[in-house]
Amino acid sequence: DAGVIQSPRHEVTEMGQEVTLRCKPISGHDYLFWYRQTMMRGLELLIYFNNNVPIDDSGMPEDRFSAKMPNASFSTLKIQPSEPRDSAVYFCASSLTGGGISYEQYFGPGTRLTVT
Amino acid sequence: AQRVTQPEKLLSVFKGAPVELKCNYSYSGSPELFWYVQYSRQRLQLLLRHISRESIKGFTADLNKGETSFHLKKPFAQEEDSAMYYCALNTGFQKLVFGTGTRLLVSP
């Protein structure tokens, strides 16, 4: 298994442009998480899904951010319009559930986004 | 408020010295805590969780509910321990709150 797959690995775009980040979770995992990592704030949870349904999007910073999970093997995080302060590394992670305990979250390699 | 605090952004030690990465949490329920690690050019990965009470790569972490702490310790640091370490708290339904991370630098 290649683990969690994210694309693109690097994205450079101009302010105002739409950016779409993609994630393929590990097969069989029913939780999917989107995080943002910055030097100042560390790792922040943006949104997460269970069985393709958004459970908690309270971490999404603004309406400019949206996320979808149309099926169990694909999710997108979209920023429209992008701003320089959105520059960060965006991680996708997936995990299993069950037994009332937290299973390990498996992280993707991240997408480094730079908005100029 | 549910919060994880890692007071040190950078911890620099020499090889063979003891290491303690601090983590304090704020949570009203029964806490479930983790340490995740990110080595250079590698993915963020789970190092250990408090319910397992295990030692991984020589690291241990004990949950102290009285002090609301979950410090990560290793008696003798190795150069390969240099990495970014994140403490995380499960706030329910698989949702993790991470601290801001501590970069550990082990010098020869």
Side-chain angles (χ1 to χ4, degrees):
Chain A
D1 195 335
V4 176
I5 298 173
Q6 290 187 248
S7 65
R9 295 292 307 276
H10 302 274
E11 178 78 42
V12 180
T13 190
E14 291 184 348
M15 182 174 63
Q17 296 298 306
E18 177 181 297
V19 175
T20 299
L21 311 182
R22 297 173 176 79
C23 175
K24 176 178 168 49
I26 293 173
S27 178
H29 282 191
D30 55 354
Y31 276 87
L32 184 138
F33 307 83
W34 281 102
Y35 291 92
R36 178 172 66 177
Q37 183 186 47
T38 61
M39 288 289 290
M40 290 299 297
R41 301 171 69 94
L43 203 60
E44 302 174 280
L45 177 66
L46 299 177
I47 184 171
Y48 73 104
F49 297 82
N50 178 221
N51 291 322
N52 313 336
V53 176
I55 302 301
D56 186 341
D57 65 354
S58 60
M60 296 284 262
E62 300 171 33
D63 291 345
R64 297 185 296 106
F65 286 70
S66 62
K68 294 182 180 179
M69 192 165 185
N71 56 62
S73 59
F74 184 66
S75 177
T76 60
L77 178 67
K78 185 177 293 186
I79 309 173
Q80 165 64 18
S82 58
E83 297 183 2
R85 58 189 167 132
D86 301 330
S87 296
V89 180
Y90 291 81
F91 288 101
C92 177
S94 69
S95 73
L96 286 168
T97 187
I101 63 172
S102 285
Y103 281 77
E104 176 178 357
Q105 290 188 17
Y106 291 83
F107 283 76
T111 295
R112 182 174 296 276
L113 173 65
T114 303
V115 183
T116 61
Chain B
Q2 301 157 346
R3 187 183 301 123
V4 174
T5 302
Q6 293 180 253
E8 303 142 328
K9 282 192 175 296
L10 173 66
L11 184 61
S12 186
V13 301
F14 287 106
K15 177 182 172 181
V19 169
E20 183 179 55
L21 288 84
K22 291 183 168 49
C23 172
N24 288 90
Y25 66 90
S26 173
Y27 187 59
S28 57
S30 182
E32 187 178 2
L33 287 145
F34 306 81
W35 277 99
Y36 277 77
V37 61
Q38 188 174 24
Y39 300 102
S40 178
R41 294 189 174 84
Q42 292 188 30
R43 303 182 183 205
L44 190 64
Q45 59 189 284
L46 178 66
L47 180 62
L48 54 80
R49 67 184 80 198
H50 90 268
I51 59 174
S52 300
R53 294 182 175 271
E54 58 198 345
S55 174
I56 303 293
K57 299 184 178 182
F59 284 98
T60 59
D62 292 320
L63 177 61
N64 186 323
K65 292 186 179 181
E67 296 183 357
T68 60
S69 68
F70 187 57
H71 302 328
L72 184 67
K73 300 178 183 179
K74 185 170 183 176
F76 306 105
Q78 303 299 314
E79 289 181 68
E80 55 265 31
D81 296 329
S82 295
M84 192 75 176
Y85 291 81
Y86 289 95
C87 183
L89 167 71
N90 178 22
T91 60
F93 302 104
Q94 309 292 328
K95 181 178 179 179
L96 294 182
V97 172
F98 284 83
T100 50
T102 298
R103 181 168 298 281
L104 175 63
L105 180 61
V106 182
S107 303

